[in-house]
Amino acid sequence: MNNVLLVGSGAREVAIAKKIKKSRGPLSLFCIAPSTNPQIKPLTVSYFERSLRDVDEVVSLAKKLSIDIAIVGPENPLEIGLVDALEEGGILCVGPRKSVAKIETSKAFARNILDLCDPEKNPERMEFSSLVGVKSFLKNLGEQYVIKCDGLMGGKGVKVSGEHLNSIHESLSYAKSIVDSGGTFLIEEKFLGEEFSLMSFCDGTYCAHMPAVQDHKRVFDGDVGPNTGGMGTYSFANHSLPFLSKEDIAAAQKTNERVALELYKQTGEKFRGVLYGGFMLTSSGVKVIEYNARFGDPEAVNVLSILETDFMDICKAIVSGSLKDLKIVFSRKATVCKYAVPEGYPNKPSRDFEVVCNTSLDGLYLAAVQEKNGVLTATGSRTAAFIGIDRDIVVAERVAEKGVGSIGGKLFHRKDIGTSALISRRVKHMKDVLS
Ligand code: AMP
Ligand code: GLY
């Protein structure tokens, strides 16, 4: 398996590319993505700018390059069946086929899978394609609800009562906007508690779990503002989080294992890739917020930075179904990762402004940028992440803060992620919820 193809070009894919290059085997790395990431390009033999929507073109290029194994980073190509087509072309893939990637691409499907294998982790909920019955369901939920547009929305299609929706009237107009654009939506009971992400490498029947990470979806400090793709993440040296018990982590791991097996049972297709459970610890135990069918972005930066096992060995074990025979080790270090995003993000992001940074810095992970004649410009989504890694999370946070603050441009970032003050607030909040 010498010819390795990486699909995608965000910060998550920079983290994957760095790991592939550290693999001990002789290999040639290729990348296909809609735009050129200036940190990935120098790690490749060849880099191809192609639309990932053009599945036939990507597969034919991969065949021409004699790719042995492809690693698919983002969710959109999974949804349109890129993995199905690559595998039919004889190329092994780390990333699930369309029928099982549905665990991310359809929120209703994910809830139904969970009903079959771990129902108590589901919220009370209902699916809608019109406004009929919406008002009475919102009232049934005691006006504590979440409205989720069904489909891939880059983390931005979810609105929570009391935060983004402040009256039944506002909620009905959000629901109407989804219906008017031809979409369907889910209304769910609103959970109260602390969120965490638990990702597992999965070969279809066995899950090897990664350290727990906490992401921050709201755009501003103090968790206010609209939802985003994620503003930053932290993880602890003990691979848990200070508001979680061993039992909570075990419950989340068990759910990922059950979901992987249920997907196989329901579709006949093995989920090969990274299964990402988004959880919330509540007063009635661990609950599921959502599932993703890939590495989180930037969660991949946290976990891959401390992965000690050869990443290509893991990829090979995923495609050959032998994960349970591989010992996967993460170093006992804390990580804090912060994203710099354009002013106005996520609703009206500035774009086309210059981004000034030293691209060879170890902790820097470029995302939505392009390079022309040596000048980096922002393309409007999350721009660049910076990670700090240390045994002590206080030090990791300082490194991340200094690094992300040094990126020049019309950018901002959350200063609170990973700070002692924020973590103490999380612990206190969880205590209050549990008491
Ligand atoms: P999702 O895209 O499903 O991860 O949702 C984005 C964010 O909305 C999550 O990270 C949570 O903060 C919030 N959220 C989603 N579903 C729920 C729920 N049932 N209860 C409370 N918060 C939720
Ligand atoms: N950081 C959240 C995600 O990747 O979906």
Side-chain angles (χ1 to χ4, degrees):
M1 287 199 212
N2 290 350
N3 289 343
V4 181
L5 173 65
L6 174 62
V7 176
S9 59
R12 165 184 47 213
E13 288 76 27
V14 174
I16 297 171
K18 286 187 182 183
K19 248 14 229 190
I20 295 172
K21 287 304 281 184
K22 284 205 176 124
S23 175
R24 61 182 148 45
L27 56 83
S28 306
L29 177 62
F30 300 84
C31 182
I32 304 180
S35 61
T36 297
N37 184 310
Q39 286 181 309
I40 298 178
K41 190 166 184 210
L43 305 178
T44 61
V45 177
S46 311
Y47 193 114
F48 302 87
E49 275 194 17
R50 296 286 186 281
S51 163
L52 298 179
R53 281 189 290 271
D54 193 345
V55 169
D56 292 343
E57 166 65 13
V58 174
V59 174
S60 111
L61 184 52
K63 281 190 186 161
K64 248 184 250 158
L65 297 168
S66 303
I67 296 298
D68 298 300
I69 183 166
I71 298 156
V72 181
E75 60 274 27
N76 300 79
L78 301 174
E79 182 178 40
I80 57 171
L82 178 63
V83 167
D84 306 51
L86 285 167
E87 287 185 349
E88 275 145 31
I91 296 167
L92 297 166
C93 289
V94 175
R97 283 184 171 227
K98 187 177 163 173
S99 61
V100 281
K102 234 176 138 186
I103 196 73
E104 169 163 7
T105 61
S106 162
K107 291 183 188 292
F109 175 82
R111 291 298 183 202
N112 294 336
I113 288 287
L114 208 58
D115 263 351
L116 294 168
C117 64
D118 208 347
E120 66 277 14
K121 293 207 172 54
N122 256 340
E124 212 182 307
R125 69 188 197 279
M126 223 163 151
E127 292 163 35
F128 293 90
S129 54
S130 75
L131 294 183
V132 178
V134 169
K135 197 168 175 180
S136 66
F137 191 62
L138 296 180
K139 295 225 150 119
N140 275 355
L141 293 177
E143 302 194 15
Q144 292 288 316
Y145 52 80
V146 179
I147 302 185
K148 298 184 167 185
C149 185
D150 203 3
L152 292 181
M153 302 290 294
K156 295 159 201 141
V158 175
K159 291 194 193 268
V160 180
S161 69
E163 276 186 67
H164 314 108
L165 301 169
N166 287 306
S167 64
I168 293 272
H169 175 72
E170 265 180 48
S171 306
L172 288 172
S173 37
Y174 180 52
K176 184 170 181 307
S177 71
I178 299 173
V179 174
D180 288 348
S181 59
T184 59
F185 60 96
L186 221 62
I187 299 179
E188 295 183 353
E189 159 196 1
K190 175 180 168 181
F191 293 135
L192 282 181
E194 280 299 324
E195 289 182 56
F196 62 102
S197 311
L198 199 289
M199 300 182 288
S200 309
F201 295 109
C202 182
D203 66 8
T205 55
Y206 183 83
C207 287
H209 307 294
M210 302 182 221
V213 179
Q214 188 171 48
D215 188 17
H216 298 73
K217 292 272 166 70
R218 308 302 190 272
V219 69
F220 298 125
D221 279 33
D223 296 316
V224 292
N227 276 321
T228 67
M231 293 296 290
T233 35
Y234 65 82
S235 69
F236 267 63
N238 66 359
H239 301 165
S240 181
L241 294 165
F243 49 83
L244 296 177
S245 67
K246 273 203 176 86
E247 291 72 29
D248 300 325
I249 293 277
Q253 292 176 338
K254 190 81 212 155
T255 302
N256 282 5
E257 290 163 17
R258 287 184 174 149
V259 164
L261 291 176
E262 195 62 41
L263 283 171
Y264 185 33
K265 199 166 140 195
Q266 294 304 319
T267 64
E269 206 68 74
K270 288 187 175 166
F271 185 104
R272 292 192 204 88
V274 173
L275 188 59
Y276 167 140
F279 297 95
M280 191 181 274
L281 177 60
T282 72
S283 57
S284 26
V286 172
K287 303 286 181 182
V288 169
I289 296 283
E290 66 160 353
Y291 261 94
N292 293 323
R294 49 164 176 89
F295 272 121
D297 186 349
E299 288 90 331
V301 178
N302 300 80
V303 296
L304 291 178
S305 299
I306 55 166
L307 174 66
E308 288 183 355
T309 310
D310 189 309
F311 181 68
M312 287 313 300
D313 284 350
I314 299 177
C315 292
K316 286 173 200 164
I318 288 173
V319 297
S320 66
S322 58
L323 255 188
K324 76 169 171 346
D325 303 326
L326 186 68
K327 189 169 160 49
I328 297 179
V329 180
F330 293 89
S331 62
R332 296 246 152 208
K333 286 195 177 143
T335 64
V336 177
C337 182
K338 304 197 192 201
Y339 250 122
V341 302
E343 285 173 6
Y345 176 82
N347 295 332
K348 282 193 184 142
S350 305
R351 57 189 85 222
D352 301 326
F353 57 87
E354 188 175 346
V355 178
V356 184
C357 59
N358 174 357
T359 58
S360 58
L361 281 181
D362 247 5
L364 181 78
Y365 290 74
L366 292 175
V369 294
Q370 60 186 22
E371 186 178 20
K372 253 192 214 149
N373 307 324
V375 176
L376 281 185
T377 52
T379 55
S381 199
R382 293 178 296 174
T383 307
F386 204 99
I387 191 168
I389 308 163
D390 195 86
R391 268 198 292 269
D392 183 350
I393 192 155
V394 173
V395 177
E397 191 278 330
R398 267 190 225 131
V399 172
E401 181 58 35
K402 188 160 176 243
V404 76
S406 75
I407 306 169
K410 280 166 64 182
L411 298 161
F412 71 98
H413 67 275
R414 276 186 63 163
K415 290 195 162 55
D416 59 349
I417 294 170
T419 58
S420 305
L422 177 135
I423 293 163
S424 307
R425 261 205 322 276
R426 299 277 189 249
V427 172
K428 178 171 184 311
H429 178 224
M430 202 62 244
K431 262 194 197 140
D432 292 346
V433 167
L434 294 177
S435 66

